[in-house]
């Protein structure tokens, strides 16, 4: 159609790409480019005159009027394209020429060029957050989104914020492994190394049985002394109640039983000279960590849960000690004692023969045939070095038992408690604190007193049982199982003291 306005042709193309009507303009209005056609008045009037007579045919138009008008339009378009091409970037000029060549059927111009035409964008910020961004930027955005998602999930895992049971179990296991597992495993390895060093030093310096017995007796007395001081403090502060008194009394009774067992077997107190200090280090170090990084959960003390978790802890400790006996026997002071123990009456398969065979297997070590059995034992002890692999294995077993006891025991305790939380058993996130004096005293005279009493009682009963049953015609494996069963019973009985020791009344 020919436009009705003289000398104008409009096109719905806006080369600037900007809405000239402003943001408030109606988005349905199209932008146009105006082309001035020059003086075509005569041709236009001829057309109007002809169109006003619908019964006339188009071929009656005078060609001498049509041709100048179309020529004028062509010239105006050519001038417009030329002006635009002069101000356009090189890439745009090449694009126009390529399109023109394709439309004219002359593809030879672009046969040696890439099929893809790349335009230089002067304002790339207009394409920010676009799905058509460059590939590296897209990968970075995807990586950022993935990292943000993983960070959010790890945060929920650490804060124990998952609502489902699977996420809750994962959080409990993660928190318990990071906090309890790492601390217990590390301290177990250090404990075994300390016991090894103490026993080796005692034997290298030829400590007398009396000296060793005194050290062992002091080690056994640490727990009961702290327990007694804690009971006096609770009574003075008015925070003692039936639960705390019963918990302290049970722990004190176990300590007395362990002391009686140690005295009844003459070789137990000297053996505790190295086992006692290593256990004291272990319990004090654990409670020092608990003082600054405590572990809390949403359980409350109850009798049924205490009994069930006691049985669970006993079973876990039985499995742990059995695993250590078979896979990591060369660890701690027991390893040194086994290599230096005085032999039984001369027999080819006696301990003396075993010591000599063991020594001959050591690289670069020779034994003087003129040395006595005691001198040979001292030489062997001085040459001993820790078997770190066995120490680490004991740490893994001990850490696994503690983590399983904390997670599974917490579930059991939460199950039996009245008004259990609908969110299930949950460990609190890890958090550091600066303890007050009261918190430090509670940790030392309550939690640590029970833990130390239990640890020293464990070694007293373990050594007493092993030494006593070893004198009977019973296989060593059976003796180990008996000792481990007594350890399981000890943890079952001691569970009530560890649970109710902190159930103090408000002053």
């Amino acid at each position: 159609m020919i436009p009705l306005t003289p000398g104008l042709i409009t096109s719905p193309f806006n080369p600037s790409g900007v809405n000239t009507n402003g943001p408030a303009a109606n988005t349905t209005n199209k932008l146009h480019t105006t082309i001035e056609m020059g003086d075509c008045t005569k041709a236009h009037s001829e057309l109007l005159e002809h169109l006003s007579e619908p019964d006339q045919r188009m071929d009656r138009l005078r060609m001498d009027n049509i041709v100048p008008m179309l020529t004028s339009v062509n010239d105006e378009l050519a001038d417009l394209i030329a002006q635009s091409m002069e101000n356009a970037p090189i890439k745009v000029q090449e694009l126009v020429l390529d399109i023109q060549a394709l439309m004219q059927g002359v593809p030879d111009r672009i046969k040696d060029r890439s099929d893809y035409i790349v335009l230089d964008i002067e304002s790339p910020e207009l394409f920010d957050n676009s799905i058509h961004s460059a590939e590296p930027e897209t990968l970075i955005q995807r990586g950022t989104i993935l990292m943000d998602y993983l960070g959010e999930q790890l945060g929920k895992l650490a804060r124990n914020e998952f609502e489902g049971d699977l996420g809750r179990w994962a959080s409990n296991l993660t928190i318990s492994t990071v906090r309890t597992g790492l601390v217990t495993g590390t301290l177990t390895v250090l404990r075994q190394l300390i016991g090894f060093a103490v026993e080796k030093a005692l034997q290298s310096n030829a400590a007398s049985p009396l000296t060793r017995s005194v050290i062992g007796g002091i080690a056994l007395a640490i727990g009961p002394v702290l327990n007694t001081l804690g009971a006096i403090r609770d009574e003075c502060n008015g925070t003692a109640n039936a639960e705390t008194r019963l918990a302290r009394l049970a722990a004190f009774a176990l300590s007395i039983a362990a002391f009686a067992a140690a005295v009844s077997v003459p070789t137990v107190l000297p053996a505790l000279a190295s086992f006692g200090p290593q256990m004291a280090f272990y319990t004090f170090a654990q409670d020092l960590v608990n003082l600054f990084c405590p572990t809390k959960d949403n359980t409350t003390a109850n009798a049924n849960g205490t009994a069930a978790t006691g049985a669970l802890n006993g079973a876990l400790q039985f499995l742990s000690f059995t695993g250590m006996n078979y896979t990591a026997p060369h660890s701690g002071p027991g390893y040194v004692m086994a290599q230096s123990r005085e032999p039984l009456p001369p027999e080819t398969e006696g301990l003396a023969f075993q010591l000599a065979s063991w020594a001959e297997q050591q690289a670069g070590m020779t034994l003087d045939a003129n040395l006595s059995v005691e001198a040979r034992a001292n030489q062997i002890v001085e040459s001993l070095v820790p078997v770190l692999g066995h120490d680490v294995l004991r740490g893994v077993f001990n850490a696994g038992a503690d983590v399983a006891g904390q997670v599974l025991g917490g579930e059991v305790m939460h199950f039996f408690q009245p008004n259990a939380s609908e969110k299930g058993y949950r460990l609190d996130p890890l958090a550091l604190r600066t303890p007050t004096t009261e918190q430090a005293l509670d940790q030392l005279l309550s939690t640590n007193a029970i833990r130390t009493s239990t640890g020293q009682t464990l070694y007293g009963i373990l050594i007493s049982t092993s030494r006593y049953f070893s004198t009977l015609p019973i296989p060593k494996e059976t003796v180990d199982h008996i000792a481990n069963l007594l350890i399981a019973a000890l943890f079952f009985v001691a569970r009530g003291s560890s649970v109710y020791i902190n159930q103090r009344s408000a002053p």
Side-chain angles (χ1 to χ4, degrees), residues 15 20 39 76 80 104 109 140 142 163 166-167 191 206 255 261 350 367 426 498 505:
T20 56
D39 189 8
E76 292 290 338
L80 176 63
Q104 293 176 353
R109 168 181 163 76
I140 292 175
R142 292 176 180 175
E163 296 181 358
L166 181 61
R191 179 190 72 187
S255 298
L367 290 177
R426 293 180 183 270
S498 61
S505 302

Side-chain angles (χ1 to χ4, degrees), residues 310-338:
L312 175 64
N313 283 341
L316 292 173
Q317 293 301 325
F318 176 84
L319 295 175
S320 175
F321 273 84
T322 301
M324 288 188 283
N325 289 342
Y326 284 102
T327 62
H330 299 162
S331 178
Y335 174 46
V336 181
M337 293 177 182

Side-chain angles (χ1 to χ4, degrees), residues 130-149:
S130 172
I131 61 174
H132 302 290
S133 301
E135 183 177 355
E137 295 181 0
T138 302
L139 294 178
I140 292 175
Q141 291 179 358
R142 292 176 180 175
T144 302
I145 294 173
L146 180 61
M147 291 301 295
D148 291 342
Y149 174 78

Side-chain angles (χ1 to χ4, degrees), residues 32-215:
H32 298 80
T33 300
T34 303
I35 303 175
E36 296 290 340
M37 300 299 298
D39 189 8
C40 301
T41 308
K42 184 176 180 181
H44 186 257
S45 60
E46 289 282 343
L47 287 174
L48 291 178
E49 181 180 356
H50 178 74
L51 292 175
S52 63
E53 301 175 0
D55 57 335
Q56 298 185 16
R57 300 181 56 174
M58 290 295 295
D59 55 8
R60 294 177 57 189
L61 292 175
R62 295 178 57 183
M63 296 303 297
D64 56 350
N65 292 333
I66 296 296
V67 171
M69 184 189 71
L70 296 179
T71 302
S72 177
V73 172
N74 181 67
D75 293 340
E76 292 290 338
L77 288 174
D79 291 340
L80 176 63
I81 293 173
Q83 294 177 5
S84 300
M85 291 285 287
E86 290 178 357
N87 299 326
I90 296 177
K91 295 293 184 180
V92 176
Q93 296 179 18
E94 294 177 353
L95 175 63
V96 172
L97 294 176
D98 290 342
I99 295 175
Q100 183 179 3
L102 290 173
M103 294 178 65
Q104 293 176 353
V106 187
D108 294 339
R109 168 181 163 76
I110 60 174
K111 65 180 179 178
D112 296 329
R113 297 176 56 184
S114 172
D115 293 336
Y116 298 96
I117 300 173
V118 180
L119 298 179
D120 290 331
I121 300 175
E122 298 179 356
S123 300
E125 62 274 4
L126 298 175
F127 294 89
D128 288 344
N129 301 321
S130 172
I131 61 174
H132 302 290
S133 301
E135 183 177 355
E137 295 181 0
T138 302
L139 294 178
I140 292 175
Q141 291 179 358
R142 292 176 180 175
T144 302
I145 294 173
L146 180 61
M147 291 301 295
D148 291 342
Y149 174 78
L150 292 177
E152 181 182 358
Q153 299 304 310
L154 289 176
K156 287 185 176 181
L157 187 70
R159 296 187 298 269
N160 208 343
E161 294 179 349
F162 288 110
E163 296 181 358
D165 289 338
L166 181 61
R168 178 175 59 83
W169 274 89
S171 293
N172 288 338
L173 285 173
T174 301
I175 295 172
S176 181
T177 301
V178 171
R179 164 60 182 82
T180 303
L182 289 180
V183 172
T184 300
T186 302
L187 292 181
T188 299
V189 174
L190 295 177
R191 179 190 72 187
Q192 297 302 109
L193 293 175
I194 289 174
F196 178 93
V198 170
E199 181 61 30
K200 185 176 179 179
L202 290 173
Q203 294 200 26
S204 299
N205 291 281
S208 65
L210 178 60
T211 302
R212 296 178 64 103
S213 297
V214 170
I215 297 175

